Amino acid sequence: MKTWFLFVLLIVVAKAGVPQPTELLKYLFDSDPKLLLKPKLTTADRIAAHGYPVESHHIITEDGYNITAFRMPYSHKLQNQKDFRPIVLLLHGLFCSSDFWILNGPNDALSFNLVDAGYDVWILNSRGNTYGRKHISRSTNHPYFWRFSWHEIGFYDIAAQIDYALATNGQGQKSVHFVAHSQGTSAFFVLTSARPEYNEKIKTAHTMAPIAYVSNMSDKMLTRMAPVLGHQNAVTAAFSDQEFLPHNEFFTKLGYNACNPNSMLHSMCSAMAFMFEGSESNANRSAVTIMAETHPAGLSTNQMLHTMQEHQSGRFCWYDHGKAKNLKLYSQETPPDYIVEQITANVHLWYCDTDPAVAVEDVEILASKLPNRVKHHITDPTWAHSDYVTHIDVKRLINEPIIEIMNQYEEAL
């Protein structure tokens, strides 16, 4: 593995014009190496490259995180900037960022399809990822910066971004449509159960690969690690409150340059990505390659620990800090359950039979508790966790049905 990595590093650096290959090792240990690599494109850059208007907004949460959201305010094809444009928010899942929602390009990505259908589209980010690494007083080098799980993403990040989008739209709108994938759905369920007043701000919610109850999850990494990391112990204490896969600007740019379409390693990145997708992959090859350029995007170890706790407890509940801290925070030794029965928003559950991260049994448990839900069961035996965004036929199978549901809601107003 080390030999292969150094071989790739040599090729990329040679292409970047670094004259002294013998000095490569210093870049492995330098948090700010001076290497001439092309800067990464942002979500805004990628949207603008397709001719769409795009805005970057810096949104401050109640607890001080500064998160960038990207807005596609109208479609240059429709020239509908003066028309009423319902607001739609898109939230990514674990390891991801706003780049996730533009992977399939202007013809097939949900973000582009929505704006071309007349919507005001906001592509969100969560604290700790590529676009959420700022705080009004904390550095990413301080463990307190990383003291959060998907609970805080839902309780603070989504709330702040919904309120900001409503205020910025300028059309007097009181509610939004919401789309989330994977762990983004967990955060959504946190918000609408722990802060039930936000249900009134949701028109329709579309949860792709919905994750709340996870005791039947079959993901191998989680099921092998959860018996240890899903409980408070010395190992958990050592693993918590820190960045998972620490960010290094050099390696971030290195990965981007290696997988860039103009790189000699572009085809290798694409092939390797498909190795992870599997032999029955439905993914758009271009989308998978862009994913290799932009992901993983950064997260806290607590996000993973929280899910492992859920797997072990069989509950959908707040973060378990251990008995002593639980008593201080929750006035009880165990964390309280999220009361999903309080989620009165119009929730659409999009799920399949073959997702190791989302078991049908767990979706059924969630569905049984939601007072206002519609199930969309995908029976394709080859459907994968990321197919809701990267599938070669996602426009017909997912995007157009979601837009039709939103349109029907708007027409009924």
Side-chain angles (χ1 to χ4, degrees), residues 108-261:
D108 298 305
L110 179 59
S111 55
F112 292 105
N113 291 165
L114 281 166
V115 76
D116 285 337
Y119 288 85
D120 179 1
V121 180
W122 291 74
I123 312 177
L124 310 184
N125 284 290
S126 59
R127 61 185 65 194
N129 78 2
T130 306
Y131 305 103
R133 299 179 61 82
K134 296 180 181 179
H135 190 277
I136 58 174
S137 62
R138 299 173 190 166
S139 163
T140 55
N141 294 324
H142 197 290
Y144 282 8
F145 182 95
W146 300 102
R147 187 166 289 178
F148 64 84
S149 74
W150 37 262
H151 171 86
E152 285 76 13
I153 293 172
F155 198 90
Y156 296 115
D157 298 0
I158 301 179
Q161 293 178 98
I162 288 176
D163 292 339
Y164 184 96
L166 287 170
T168 305
N169 171 267
Q171 296 183 322
Q173 298 187 44
K174 302 298 183 183
S175 53
V176 305
H177 295 280
F178 196 90
V179 181
H181 177 257
S182 190
Q183 189 183 259
T185 70
S186 306
F188 172 78
F189 296 135
V190 166
L191 173 68
T192 47
S193 61
R195 303 181 74 169
E197 65 274 16
Y198 274 87
N199 284 280
E200 297 180 4
K201 299 183 180 184
I202 304 297
K203 294 179 176 179
T204 66
H206 301 268
T207 58
M208 304 174 178
I211 298 179
Y213 300 93
V214 296
S215 57
N216 294 293
M217 183 186 288
S218 61
D219 179 81
K220 291 182 179 179
M221 182 187 76
L222 183 137
T223 54
R224 290 173 180 173
M225 297 175 66
V228 175
L229 294 178
H231 305 276
Q232 284 295 330
N233 51 53
V235 178
T236 303
F239 190 67
S240 61
D241 297 343
Q242 56 189 289
E243 182 176 16
F244 185 74
L245 299 176
H247 179 88
N248 181 295
E249 191 64 25
F250 166 62
F251 288 111
T252 301
K253 289 182 180 179
L254 180 66
Y256 168 71
N257 279 261
C259 295
N260 190 282

Side-chain angles (χ1 to χ4, degrees), residues 57-72:
H57 293 264
H58 302 286
I59 302 171
I60 308 298
T61 67
E62 294 174 47
D63 57 344
Y65 285 81
N66 184 341
I67 301 171
T68 302
F70 298 98
R71 181 192 187 193
M72 302 171 69

Side-chain angles (χ1 to χ4, degrees), residues 180-388:
H181 177 257
S182 190
Q183 189 183 259
T185 70
S186 306
F188 172 78
F189 296 135
V190 166
L191 173 68
T192 47
S193 61
R195 303 181 74 169
E197 65 274 16
Y198 274 87
N199 284 280
E200 297 180 4
K201 299 183 180 184
I202 304 297
K203 294 179 176 179
T204 66
H206 301 268
T207 58
M208 304 174 178
I211 298 179
Y213 300 93
V214 296
S215 57
N216 294 293
M217 183 186 288
S218 61
D219 179 81
K220 291 182 179 179
M221 182 187 76
L222 183 137
T223 54
R224 290 173 180 173
M225 297 175 66
V228 175
L229 294 178
H231 305 276
Q232 284 295 330
N233 51 53
V235 178
T236 303
F239 190 67
S240 61
D241 297 343
Q242 56 189 289
E243 182 176 16
F244 185 74
L245 299 176
H247 179 88
N248 181 295
E249 191 64 25
F250 166 62
F251 288 111
T252 301
K253 289 182 180 179
L254 180 66
Y256 168 71
N257 279 261
C259 295
N260 190 282
N262 297 321
S263 168
M264 65 179 70
L265 298 176
H266 178 75
S267 59
M268 181 186 297
C269 287
S270 181
M272 288 182 64
F274 265 80
M275 285 174 61
F276 290 106
E277 286 284 319
S279 59
E280 293 185 297
S281 174
N282 302 308
N284 179 320
R285 184 173 291 272
S286 297
V288 172
T289 304
I290 295 174
M291 183 180 287
E293 294 178 23
T294 56
H295 294 73
L299 68 153
S300 168
T301 52
N302 293 13
Q303 293 173 241
M304 303 175 70
L305 291 174
H306 198 170
T307 301
M308 293 181 195
Q309 291 175 3
E310 308 277 282
H311 180 270
Q312 292 296 289
S313 70
R315 302 163 58 204
F316 182 46
C317 56
W318 294 49
Y319 194 88
D320 187 354
H321 297 275
K323 290 182 180 181
K325 191 170 183 179
N326 287 343
L327 281 169
K328 182 178 180 180
L329 294 176
Y330 311 132
S331 299
Q332 58 187 63
E333 292 185 351
T334 58
D337 288 319
Y338 294 111
I339 306 175
V340 295
E341 290 84 356
Q342 294 187 151
I343 302 176
T344 57
N346 181 9
V347 178
H348 291 260
L349 303 167
W350 300 81
Y351 63 104
C352 66
D353 295 315
T354 50
D355 188 342
V358 182
V360 172
E361 298 90 335
D362 291 331
V363 176
E364 294 291 352
I365 294 172
L366 173 63
S368 70
K369 297 176 182 291
L370 293 173
N372 189 17
R373 85 300 185 270
V374 179
K375 295 189 293 183
H376 303 271
H377 187 187
I378 299 168
T379 57
D380 182 349
T382 67
W383 197 268
H385 189 67
S386 61
D387 280 350
Y388 301 93

Side-chain angles (χ1 to χ4, degrees), residues 26-44:
K26 72 180 182 181
Y27 295 106
L28 299 177
F29 304 100
D30 189 345
S31 62
D32 187 27
K34 303 301 186 291
L35 184 61
L36 299 178
L37 295 173
K38 295 180 180 178
K40 284 183 61 178
L41 294 175
T42 67
T43 302

